[in-house]
PDB file of all heavy atoms in Angstrom:
ATOM      1  N   VAL A   6      -5.712 -76.927 -44.323  1.00  0.00           N
ATOM      2  CA  VAL A   6      -5.983 -77.970 -43.338  1.00  0.00           C
ATOM      3  C   VAL A   6      -7.303 -77.645 -42.668  1.00  0.00           C
ATOM      4  O   VAL A   6      -7.450 -76.607 -42.017  1.00  0.00           O
ATOM      5  CB  VAL A   6      -4.841 -78.047 -42.287  1.00  0.00           C
ATOM      6  CG1 VAL A   6      -5.138 -79.150 -41.276  1.00  0.00           C
ATOM      7  CG2 VAL A   6      -3.505 -78.292 -42.975  1.00  0.00           C
ATOM      8  N   ILE A  55     -12.410 -68.710 -57.090  1.00  0.00           N
ATOM      9  CA  ILE A  55     -12.355 -69.686 -58.179  1.00  0.00           C
ATOM     10  C   ILE A  55     -11.155 -70.619 -58.035  1.00  0.00           C
ATOM     11  O   ILE A  55     -11.203 -71.789 -58.470  1.00  0.00           O
ATOM     12  CB  ILE A  55     -12.343 -68.977 -59.567  1.00  0.00           C
ATOM     13  CG1 ILE A  55     -12.605 -69.984 -60.702  1.00  0.00           C
ATOM     14  CG2 ILE A  55     -11.049 -68.207 -59.789  1.00  0.00           C
ATOM     15  CD1 ILE A  55     -13.945 -70.656 -60.670  1.00  0.00           C
ATOM     16  N   GLU A  63     -10.318 -80.943 -58.230  1.00  0.00           N
ATOM     17  CA  GLU A  63      -9.245 -81.931 -58.381  1.00  0.00           C
ATOM     18  C   GLU A  63      -9.247 -82.913 -57.209  1.00  0.00           C
ATOM     19  O   GLU A  63      -9.165 -84.133 -57.400  1.00  0.00           O
ATOM     20  CB  GLU A  63      -7.897 -81.196 -58.466  1.00  0.00           C
ATOM     21  CG  GLU A  63      -6.711 -82.077 -58.799  1.00  0.00           C
ATOM     22  CD  GLU A  63      -6.809 -82.728 -60.175  1.00  0.00           C
ATOM     23  OE1 GLU A  63      -7.425 -82.145 -61.088  1.00  0.00           O
ATOM     24  OE2 GLU A  63      -6.267 -83.852 -60.312  1.00  0.00           O
ATOM     25  N   GLU A  87     -32.221 -73.173 -55.479  1.00  0.00           N
ATOM     26  CA  GLU A  87     -33.330 -73.058 -56.432  1.00  0.00           C
ATOM     27  C   GLU A  87     -32.852 -73.327 -57.857  1.00  0.00           C
ATOM     28  O   GLU A  87     -33.524 -74.013 -58.639  1.00  0.00           O
ATOM     29  CB  GLU A  87     -33.958 -71.657 -56.343  1.00  0.00           C
ATOM     30  CG  GLU A  87     -35.231 -71.519 -57.161  1.00  0.00           C
ATOM     31  CD  GLU A  87     -35.856 -70.132 -57.042  1.00  0.00           C
ATOM     32  OE1 GLU A  87     -35.523 -69.382 -56.093  1.00  0.00           O
ATOM     33  OE2 GLU A  87     -36.686 -69.799 -57.914  1.00  0.00           O
ATOM     34  N   ARG A 129     -11.630 -62.449 -56.692  1.00  0.00           N
ATOM     35  CA  ARG A 129     -10.789 -61.437 -57.333  1.00  0.00           C
ATOM     36  C   ARG A 129     -11.545 -60.598 -58.362  1.00  0.00           C
ATOM     37  O   ARG A 129     -11.005 -59.618 -58.872  1.00  0.00           O
ATOM     38  CB  ARG A 129      -9.587 -62.121 -57.996  1.00  0.00           C
ATOM     39  CG  ARG A 129      -8.665 -62.805 -56.985  1.00  0.00           C
ATOM     40  CD  ARG A 129      -7.238 -62.726 -57.441  1.00  0.00           C
ATOM     41  NE  ARG A 129      -6.478 -63.917 -57.110  1.00  0.00           N
ATOM     42  CZ  ARG A 129      -5.142 -63.956 -57.073  1.00  0.00           C
ATOM     43  NH1 ARG A 129      -4.453 -62.877 -57.357  1.00  0.00           N
ATOM     44  NH2 ARG A 129      -4.506 -65.059 -56.777  1.00  0.00           N
ATOM     45  N   ILE A 186       1.266 -49.061 -39.175  1.00  0.00           N
ATOM     46  CA  ILE A 186       0.604 -49.543 -37.961  1.00  0.00           C
ATOM     47  C   ILE A 186       1.605 -49.593 -36.801  1.00  0.00           C
ATOM     48  O   ILE A 186       1.303 -49.180 -35.683  1.00  0.00           O
ATOM     49  CB  ILE A 186      -0.022 -50.937 -38.200  1.00  0.00           C
ATOM     50  CG1 ILE A 186      -1.159 -50.837 -39.220  1.00  0.00           C
ATOM     51  CG2 ILE A 186      -0.542 -51.537 -36.894  1.00  0.00           C
ATOM     52  CD1 ILE A 186      -1.619 -52.179 -39.784  1.00  0.00           C
ATOM     53  N   LEU A 217     -19.213 -59.932 -42.248  1.00  0.00           N
ATOM     54  CA  LEU A 217     -20.167 -59.917 -41.135  1.00  0.00           C
ATOM     55  C   LEU A 217     -21.534 -59.402 -41.558  1.00  0.00           C
ATOM     56  O   LEU A 217     -22.555 -59.770 -40.965  1.00  0.00           O
ATOM     57  CB  LEU A 217     -19.623 -59.089 -39.974  1.00  0.00           C
ATOM     58  CG  LEU A 217     -18.341 -59.620 -39.331  1.00  0.00           C
ATOM     59  CD1 LEU A 217     -17.964 -58.774 -38.129  1.00  0.00           C
ATOM     60  CD2 LEU A 217     -18.480 -61.079 -38.908  1.00  0.00           C
ATOM     61  N   VAL A 230     -33.445 -73.830 -45.076  1.00  0.00           N
ATOM     62  CA  VAL A 230     -33.412 -74.859 -46.125  1.00  0.00           C
ATOM     63  C   VAL A 230     -33.046 -76.248 -45.601  1.00  0.00           C
ATOM     64  O   VAL A 230     -33.001 -77.208 -46.371  1.00  0.00           O
ATOM     65  CB  VAL A 230     -32.442 -74.459 -47.276  1.00  0.00           C
ATOM     66  CG1 VAL A 230     -32.896 -73.172 -47.932  1.00  0.00           C
ATOM     67  CG2 VAL A 230     -30.994 -74.335 -46.789  1.00  0.00           C
TER      68      VAL A 230
END
Side-chain angles (χ1 to χ4, degrees):
V6 180
I55 193 63
E63 187 63 30
E87 188 179 342
R129 296 214 216 199
I186 294 166
L217 297 184
V230 299

